[in-house]
């Protein structure tokens, strides 16, 4: 590999970064274009050599942690106006553990598209609420706000897994002796 190849690679990376930053600032850039530019390299991508070169995602708006167009939240925008993205349902939703237990539903706002911290809406169901109430709240909020219906099952599955890990583990009960061993132990205690 010569020096000329390295310069071309750096220029290409610079073009992709600048294009991606410009796309985030503009509201009229297609999500498909953003995905094609950021698919091979982005900050959420985790590549594994084991398992046939699996690719995972750390995106907080990715419900199944798969690196795919369908699940990536930074690409899928929340829009209210009828656009091609709204008609195909590319709307982002994520579930994360709450700070003090429970689960937090994370959704995107239409405002502040160039400011990621101000672009998120968070709703938390605490650890004292029942699991069914949290599931119902997630389904109702996403349905009423027009988020993707095909991701509701994944959202409930992720919330269920998070809430299951937050339950305290019970100690294993002492094993009871049965049959002949129980009779021998009872005779030793009585004598």
């Amino acid at each position: 590999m010569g020096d000329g190849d390295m310069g071309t690679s750096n220029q290409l990376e610079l073009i992709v970064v600048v294009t991606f930053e410009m796309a985030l600032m503009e509201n009229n850039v297609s999500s498909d274009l953003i995905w094609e530019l950021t698919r091979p390299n982005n900050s959420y991508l985790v590549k594994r050599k084991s398992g046939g070169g699996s690719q995972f995602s750390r995106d907080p708006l990715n419900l199944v942690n798969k690196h795919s167009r369908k699940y990536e939240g930074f690409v899928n925008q929340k829009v209210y106006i009828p656009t091609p993205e709204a008609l195909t349902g590319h709307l982002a939703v994520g579930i994360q553990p709450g700070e003090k237990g429970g689960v937090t539903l994370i959704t995107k706002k239409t405002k502040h598209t160039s400011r990621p911290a101000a672009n998120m809406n968070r709703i938390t169901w605490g650890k004292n609420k029942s699991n069914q109430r949290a599931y119902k709240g997630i389904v109702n909020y996403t349905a009423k706000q027009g988020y993707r219906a095909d991701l509701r099952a994944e959202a409930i599955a992720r919330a269920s897994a998070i809430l299951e890990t937050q339950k305290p583990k019970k100690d294993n009960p002492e094993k009871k002796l049965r049959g002949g061993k129980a009779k021998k132990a009872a005779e030793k205690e009585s004598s």
Side-chain angles (χ1 to χ4, degrees), residues 87-139:
L87 298 175
T88 57
H90 295 302
L91 309 176
V93 60
I95 304 286
Q96 296 290 322
E99 291 180 12
K100 297 180 181 178
V103 293
T104 301
L105 173 70
I106 304 171
T107 57
K108 278 192 172 183
K109 297 179 187 176
T110 55
K111 293 182 179 180
H112 313 300
T113 55
S114 62
R115 295 187 291 173
N119 194 16
M120 302 292 179
N121 186 23
R122 300 179 194 285
I123 301 169
T124 302
W125 287 272
K127 64 180 180 178
N128 296 332
K129 300 289 183 187
S130 71
N131 292 356
Q132 295 300 320
R133 179 173 269 182
Y135 304 151
K136 187 175 181 181
I138 291 168
V139 169

Side-chain angles (χ1 to χ4, degrees), residues 8-188:
T8 307
S9 174
N10 289 340
Q11 289 174 349
L12 181 62
E13 288 178 17
L14 180 63
I15 290 170
V16 169
V17 169
V18 169
T19 307
F20 179 63
E21 288 177 358
M22 288 172 33
L24 287 177
M25 291 180 196
E26 296 291 327
N27 291 335
N28 59 356
V29 176
S30 168
S31 293
D32 293 325
L33 176 62
I34 295 172
W35 173 247
E36 286 300 318
L37 292 174
T38 61
R39 183 174 52 90
N41 285 323
N42 63 62
S43 62
Y44 298 122
L45 179 60
V46 179
K47 295 180 180 180
R48 297 283 183 234
K49 291 182 182 178
S50 63
S54 303
Q55 294 185 346
F56 301 103
S57 176
R58 291 188 178 132
D59 187 2
L61 294 174
N62 188 327
L63 291 170
V64 294
N65 294 340
K66 282 185 185 177
H67 180 66
S68 102
R69 168 75 170 88
K70 177 179 179 180
Y71 298 114
E72 286 296 343
F74 73 91
V75 173
N76 298 319
Q77 300 292 325
K78 171 68 172 114
V79 290
Y80 288 108
I81 55 176
T83 64
E85 292 172 340
L87 298 175
T88 57
H90 295 302
L91 309 176
V93 60
I95 304 286
Q96 296 290 322
E99 291 180 12
K100 297 180 181 178
V103 293
T104 301
L105 173 70
I106 304 171
T107 57
K108 278 192 172 183
K109 297 179 187 176
T110 55
K111 293 182 179 180
H112 313 300
T113 55
S114 62
R115 295 187 291 173
N119 194 16
M120 302 292 179
N121 186 23
R122 300 179 194 285
I123 301 169
T124 302
W125 287 272
K127 64 180 180 178
N128 296 332
K129 300 289 183 187
S130 71
N131 292 356
Q132 295 300 320
R133 179 173 269 182
Y135 304 151
K136 187 175 181 181
I138 291 168
V139 169
N140 287 344
Y141 183 82
T142 56
K144 288 177 184 174
Q145 296 294 327
Y147 286 90
R148 292 173 52 186
D150 63 325
L151 292 182
R152 285 190 198 130
E154 284 94 349
I156 297 301
R158 185 165 179 114
S160 177
I162 290 170
L163 290 171
E164 189 66 31
T165 62
Q166 293 174 350
K167 286 184 181 177
K169 298 294 179 195
K170 294 181 181 178
D171 292 333
N172 290 334
E174 242 182 75
K175 288 192 174 188
K176 295 181 182 178
L177 298 175
R178 308 232 183 246
K181 291 181 182 179
K183 289 179 185 176
K184 288 180 185 177
E187 287 176 7
K188 284 184 182 178

